[in-house]
Amino acid sequence: MYSREEFGEFLLKEKKDGTKIMVRDVQLALLEMVKDIDKICVENEIEYCLTGGSTLGAVRHQGFIPWDDDFDIAMTRENYKKFRKALDKCLDKEKYVYHCFEKNKKYDVTWPYMKIRKKNTYIKEVNKLLPNRCTDCDGIFIDVFIYDHMSKYTIFDLPLRLCNSILMPVIIFFENLKINPIPLKYLYRFNAKLYGFLFQKSKYIGDDLTWTYRNPMTPLRYRKEKIFPTVRVPFEDTELPVPNDAREYLIRHWGEGCLTPPPVDKRKPGHVYDINLTSNKPED
């Protein structure tokens, strides 16, 4: 197990007055957010788990990867439906807002299914081709992904996956022309839901078909019992749920060496272009 202190601090931004915003500052804000989200999920019997680098941090560091500047969670489509209802009822509207296509048709459907944002903060991501169109809040966020049923066999998996892989750059093209391609967005979402429905009896799950930022020939596929039911593990000063077999999940995701920290030159925050933790506007 590797402690955060072994790796030092990581700078995100130095303001004009010389004060610094560190990765740790963002992590502490995200930790507050995920504790609030976890409370809603527990109280409403919604099963979810950390995913991606957040799971790696939980297993390897018992908290955040020291240079990680984002946070990801995932849940099944059934739990996502419950989650949306719970957010409408329980989310602190003074502190947070959530964005998704169901709520705002400007939302980018090639993003994770939902972003929960913290008000009175600001973030501009590195990827300039995918700006936030839901302009009521540009705050720091937690990504919510959907895990859906998927086929074990490429011959059945590939057709709808390829369809969305082709649609994705088309949607982004129109978005960057400031044209909202709502019919294409509906088709993109429909393909994903149809795929999950067709293979609802499958023993395998993975990122639903709206997540197309991976080679369509090599989708990540997990046996459902390797993900759910989740298990709670130490994370910073609390406990959060990770996949049932988190080690196998991580190895399938990143390979055998993922439990050893990368070389020093690879330890870099990768998502933030600009940030402000005390206002909803960019820093002066």
Side-chain angles (χ1 to χ4, degrees), residues 148-270:
D148 210 349
H149 304 282
M150 62 187 298
S151 173
K152 178 181 178 181
Y153 303 103
T154 300
I155 191 172
F156 299 125
D157 176 271
L158 197 56
L160 283 171
R161 189 174 298 279
L162 275 178
C163 183
N164 269 14
S165 293
I166 293 169
L167 275 174
M168 181 265 287
V170 177
I171 290 171
I172 292 174
F173 173 77
F174 281 113
E175 291 271 26
N176 280 279
L177 291 178
K178 297 185 178 179
I179 298 171
N180 190 7
I182 292 177
L184 295 182
K185 289 181 173 181
Y186 272 113
L187 177 60
Y188 190 80
R189 282 291 183 92
F190 174 79
N191 288 342
K193 291 178 181 178
L194 175 62
Y195 179 90
F197 175 78
L198 291 174
F199 299 104
Q200 60 186 302
K201 295 183 179 180
S202 171
K203 297 179 180 179
Y204 293 86
I205 62 173
D207 289 315
D208 98 310
L209 247 58
T210 60
W211 188 249
T212 50
Y213 296 95
R214 185 176 174 86
N215 185 334
M217 299 299 296
T218 57
L220 287 172
R221 183 185 289 113
Y222 311 96
R223 290 187 69 90
K224 189 173 182 179
E225 69 267 19
K226 296 292 185 179
I227 307 295
F228 301 109
T230 60
V231 292
R232 295 182 78 88
V233 300
F235 192 97
E236 301 290 341
D237 62 353
T238 187
E239 288 188 347
L240 294 174
V242 299
N244 187 283
D245 190 340
R247 183 182 178 87
E248 179 171 325
Y249 164 84
L250 293 171
I251 289 172
R252 288 182 64 83
H253 202 292
W254 281 294
E256 290 283 349
C258 68
L259 296 179
T260 300
V264 173
D265 64 331
K266 301 293 184 182
R267 300 173 192 172
K268 298 176 181 178

